[in-house]
Amino acid sequence: MPRRHERSQTEFARAQKSIPGGVNSPARAFGGVGGTPVFMQKGEGASLYDLDGNRYIDYIGSWGPHILGHRPPEIIAAILAALDRGTSFGAPTELESELAELVIAAVPSVEMVRMVNSGTEATMSAIRVARGYTGRDKIIKFAGCYHGHVDSLLVKAGSGALTHGNPSSPGVPAGCTQDTIVLDYNDPQQLTDAFQVHGDQLAAVILEPVVGNMGLVIPHREFLTMLRELCDRHGTVLIFDEVMTGFRLSYGGAQQLFDITPDMTTLGKIIGGGMPVGAYGGRADILKCVSPMGPVYQAGTLSGNPVAMAAGIAMLTLLRDRDPYPELADYTRRLAMGLSEIAKRKGIPHTCPHLGSMITLFFNADPVTSLAVAMRSDTARFAKFFHAMLDEGVYLACSQYEANFVSTCHTEADLEATLAAAEIAMGKLVEA
Ligand code: KE4
C-alpha cells in the first residue's frame, strides 16, 4: 500500500536547489520510473530505511557493493580501527599492498594492480594504459555496456557500424570519440568485420563480460571466445570491465565463471566494501607502463586511501573465507523462478535472466541478448511495477536497464515478502 514520503519530497525539493537534479549521480533520480527519489537514512543487513521511517528490502545494495548487506560488523570494525590511525596520509601504507595482494590472489589474470577512487577512473586509466602499451589509438566498446563517464566511452555508434563513434553527451568533443568503434554485444560477425578493417590499429576492446547496464545480459560463450582469439591475433588488449561483476559473480569474477583470461581487468564497488575504491590491473608487462614505473601517467590524491583499503581488505577476506556464492545463487534462482511464475500466471510477457546474485525482470517477451532487444522492453510497465513494489516495501533498481543484487543478508522471509509484493504489483499491471 502507498507509503508516506513527505520527508523525501521535502528533502528532494531542497536538494534540487543546490545539486543538479537533486542527486550526485543521475541513476538515483528515478528518471526511468518517474516520481520522487526516496531519501534513505539507514541501511542494516538487507534493509534500507527512508527518512519517513519506511523499511525496504533492498535489491540495489548501493548499485553492487553490499554483497554482504549493509554495515557488516567486520567491515565497520575495520573502518573504525583505520580511523583511529588517521584518514589519509598521501604516503604509501601497507594496507594498499594487502588489498592489492588479495585482488591478485583472487584474479589470476591480474599480476599487478593500481588502486583508484571509482570505476570510472579505473576504466579511463585502463584505456590510457592500453593505448600507451600498444602505441595505438582505436578502441572497441559495445552498445549498452556502461563503463563510467569517460569521455572516450560516452559514445554512440557512428553512422556505419564500423566507423568512429559520435559523442553521446554534450561536452564531449568529437575528437574524444573518433577512435571509438561501437559494436553490438553478442554479435560475432560485427567483431570479425571490425577486426578485419581495424585489427592492427586497435589498442583495446573493453566490455562488461556479463552486462549489468542494459539490465542483466549474459554473453554467448562463442562471443567471448572469438573476442579473445581476435585480440590475440591482432595484439589488441582485452579489457574486462568487472567493476560490477568482480567479486560479485564469483570470487574470481565473470572471467572465472566463463574461463576467459583478459589482459586487463577493471574493478570497483565490492572491492571498496562500501567505500570509494576502483582498481585496474592485469598483465605485468602492461602495468609496467604505468607511472612512475613507466611513462603512462595516472595519479590520485586519495587513491589507496587507508580507510577505504581497510574496508576493502575486510570485504575480500570475508568473501574468500565464507564463499557465499552458492547460497547467493540459490536465493537468486528461486527469486527469478518465483517472479517468472507470477508473471506467467498473469499472462505478462517477460524474461527474468539471473546469474550468481544478479537478476533483472525484463518486461520483454524475448531473451535480451543486446541493447536493441533490451530497448524493446515495456518501460512504462516496468515503471508501474517499480512503484508498486516500492509501495509494498521492495526497493528495486529504478530502471529497466539495471541489474538487481542479492546479498547474504536476504532471508527466506525476505524472499517470501518479495514474491508476495510481486503478486500484488503484477496484479496491478493487469487489472482493468
Ligand atoms: P563508478 O565511476 O560509478 O564507480 O563506476 C562506473 C562503472 C564502470 N563500469 C561498470 C560495469 C559499472 O557498472 C559502473 C557504474 N555502475 C552504475 C550502475 N549501473 C553506478 C550507478 C551510478 O552511476 O550511480
Side-chain angles (χ1 to χ4, degrees):
M1 80 194 134
R3 301 175 149 223
R4 300 170 58 85
H5 291 299
E6 283 86 359
R7 293 264 335 261
S8 283
Q9 283 155 359
T10 304
E11 284 304 317
F12 189 46
R14 172 189 172 197
Q16 286 174 297
K17 296 191 182 88
S18 51
I19 304 169
V23 292
N24 282 307
S25 192
R28 309 172 193 164
F30 277 27
V33 294
T36 300
V38 177
F39 278 56
M40 296 302 171
Q41 184 158 56
K42 182 183 178 187
E44 191 69 56
S47 301
L48 275 172
Y49 298 86
D50 71 15
L51 291 181
D52 294 283
N54 300 304
R55 175 195 175 245
Y56 303 90
I57 302 170
D58 178 20
Y59 287 102
I60 295 189
S62 185
W63 299 97
H66 295 324
I67 191 169
L68 296 178
H70 292 274
R71 300 181 67 246
E74 301 87 343
I75 294 179
I76 299 300
I79 290 171
L80 293 174
L83 285 174
D84 268 350
R85 300 190 294 272
T87 54
S88 177
F89 310 124
T93 67
E94 60 193 330
L95 295 173
E96 294 155 84
S97 302
E98 195 172 342
L99 184 55
E101 288 157 7
L102 279 164
V103 169
I104 289 165
V107 188
S109 69
V110 176
E111 296 171 335
M112 294 194 89
V113 61
R114 167 65 63 85
M115 299 295 163
V116 292
N117 300 283
S118 70
T120 295
E121 264 194 274
T123 57
M124 173 182 71
S125 308
I127 295 281
R128 183 182 310 134
V129 172
R131 284 172 159 160
Y133 172 75
T134 59
R136 303 173 182 177
D137 295 338
K138 290 191 184 305
I139 57 175
I140 287 175
K141 81 169 292 285
F142 296 90
C145 287
Y146 174 68
H147 305 290
H149 59 94
V150 186
D151 274 354
S152 61
L153 298 175
L154 286 179
V155 59
K156 52 184 185 284
S159 51
L162 301 187
T163 59
H164 59 72
N166 298 319
S168 62
S169 166
V172 175
C176 286
T177 61
Q178 67 183 22
D179 289 313
T180 308
I181 296 150
V182 185
L183 304 179
D184 290 334
Y185 198 80
N186 275 327
D187 187 325
Q189 190 56 53
Q190 283 191 21
L191 262 187
T192 306
D193 296 347
F195 270 88
Q196 199 147 24
V197 173
H198 302 288
D200 298 341
Q201 296 174 293
L202 287 168
V205 176
I206 186 168
L207 77 162
E208 294 180 65
V210 171
V211 188
N213 288 292
M214 293 188 235
L216 177 64
V217 172
I218 296 167
H220 299 155
R221 186 171 293 278
E222 62 274 12
F223 172 68
L224 292 182
T225 308
M226 176 181 282
L227 185 51
R228 180 66 275 176
E229 285 163 8
L230 287 166
C231 286
D232 284 338
R233 197 179 312 157
H234 294 274
T236 300
V237 175
L238 178 55
I239 303 171
F240 272 13
D241 179 358
E242 297 225 42
V243 166
M244 188 183 285
T245 56
F247 298 96
R248 166 60 62 180
L249 291 179
S250 78
Y251 195 60
Q255 58 193 270
Q256 177 180 307
L257 277 190
F258 285 85
D259 194 21
I260 298 272
T261 302
D263 302 305
M264 293 183 78
T265 298
T266 54
L267 296 165
K269 296 181 192 278
I270 288 174
I271 67 165
M275 301 294 282
V277 178
Y280 65 94
R283 285 181 9 217
D285 64 318
I286 298 175
L287 270 287
K288 284 174 181 169
C289 294
V290 180
S291 174
M293 200 171 195
V296 180
Y297 195 70
Q298 181 271 315
T301 302
L302 293 172
S303 295
N305 172 273
V307 180
M309 294 297 102
I313 291 163
M315 170 64 89
L316 296 200
T317 304
L318 287 166
L319 291 174
R320 180 196 63 196
D321 297 348
R322 281 193 195 165
D323 184 18
Y325 299 100
E327 76 181 76
L328 286 166
D330 180 58
Y331 181 108
T332 310
R333 179 183 56 77
R334 290 186 291 135
L335 175 60
M337 285 176 61
L339 291 171
S340 204
E341 189 279 324
I342 297 167
K344 214 171 290 171
R345 191 162 19 88
K346 296 180 184 301
I348 297 171
H350 72 285
T351 58
C352 191
H354 61 96
L355 185 65
S357 53
M358 293 173 65
I359 179 173
T360 294
L361 176 64
F362 284 105
F363 289 97
N364 189 326
D366 303 322
V368 179
T369 55
S370 70
L371 182 62
V373 179
M375 298 291 279
R376 294 202 298 265
S377 302
D378 185 338
T379 51
R381 179 163 262 191
F382 174 82
K384 196 172 176 185
F385 176 70
F386 171 83
H387 281 288
M389 291 293 271
L390 202 64
D391 288 344
E392 297 303 321
V394 177
Y395 192 69
L396 299 173
C398 48
S399 165
Q400 172 69 100
Y401 307 120
E402 292 285 358
N404 295 275
F405 304 99
V406 172
S407 81
T408 54
C409 292
H410 285 89
T411 63
E412 287 304 310
D414 291 325
L415 181 56
E416 279 171 37
T418 304
L419 294 177
E423 188 77 45
I424 295 167
M426 289 195 220
K428 288 180 179 176
L429 298 184
V430 295
E431 66 193 12

